[in-house]
Amino acid sequence: MKKLLALILILTLNSCFFYKKDGIEVHIENNSSETISNIEFTTSEKVKTINIDSIEPNKSVREFLSMSKNKSDGSYSLTFDRKNGQNGKSGGGYYTNGSSLDHWVDFIVENDTIIVKFDAPIY
């Protein structure tokens, strides 16, 4: 009986320490030759957004997007302005019932493209 009680206590405490925050960590790296500005990362529901003024060349930013108030299914989007006046836009990923299926997403902004990498869950 004592072993069972100890096991339940350990499992309960363990679940408290490894509680996953409801959201996704985003890392935006600017590998282009120009500063990008007016950066916005959000979900389809646009309940919360991450807004960043600018990222200079060869610099990066890491933020956490809380999804605690999201309720439905959707995807993520990143938009920004390039110095030459063009808009950059990339979307992808998937979340369900307001919760992220991934732990993080990396956006690597190049001069002519945007590379997106997600931490896909392993089933």
Side-chain angles (χ1 to χ4, degrees):
M1 185 67 162
K2 288 183 181 181
K3 288 182 181 180
L4 181 60
L5 183 60
L7 180 63
I8 291 172
L9 180 64
I10 290 170
L11 290 174
T12 302
L13 291 174
N14 191 31
S15 67
C16 294
F17 289 116
F18 294 107
Y19 175 73
K20 180 184 175 250
K21 291 182 183 178
D22 199 11
I24 188 165
E25 185 175 309
V26 60
H27 178 245
I28 305 167
E29 184 175 341
N30 183 4
N31 282 350
S32 72
S33 57
E34 297 179 337
T35 300
I36 58 174
S37 59
N38 300 321
I39 304 150
E40 180 182 89
F41 177 75
T42 190
T43 62
S44 302
E45 295 177 78
K46 295 196 177 207
V47 176
K48 294 240 181 189
T49 61
I50 292 174
N51 294 300
I52 302 164
D53 291 333
S54 65
I55 304 174
E56 295 178 12
N58 302 313
K59 301 287 183 185
S60 65
V61 173
R62 187 175 304 273
E63 296 275 343
F64 183 81
L65 178 68
S66 173
M67 296 173 61
S68 59
K69 295 187 179 184
N70 287 49
K71 301 294 179 208
S72 65
D73 297 0
S75 61
Y76 306 98
S77 72
L78 173 74
T79 58
F80 59 88
D81 296 330
R82 294 184 186 266
K83 196 171 185 178
N84 63 9
Q86 292 182 339
N87 295 332
K89 183 172 184 175
S90 180
Y94 181 72
Y95 65 91
T96 184
N97 295 325
S99 294
S100 178
L101 298 174
D102 302 299
H103 297 103
W104 52 260
V105 58
D106 285 345
F107 290 96
I108 303 168
V109 178
E110 303 282 347
N111 285 326
D112 58 349
T113 191
I114 303 168
I115 301 166
V116 184
K117 297 178 186 177
F118 282 91
D119 170 36
I122 299 171
Y123 297 106

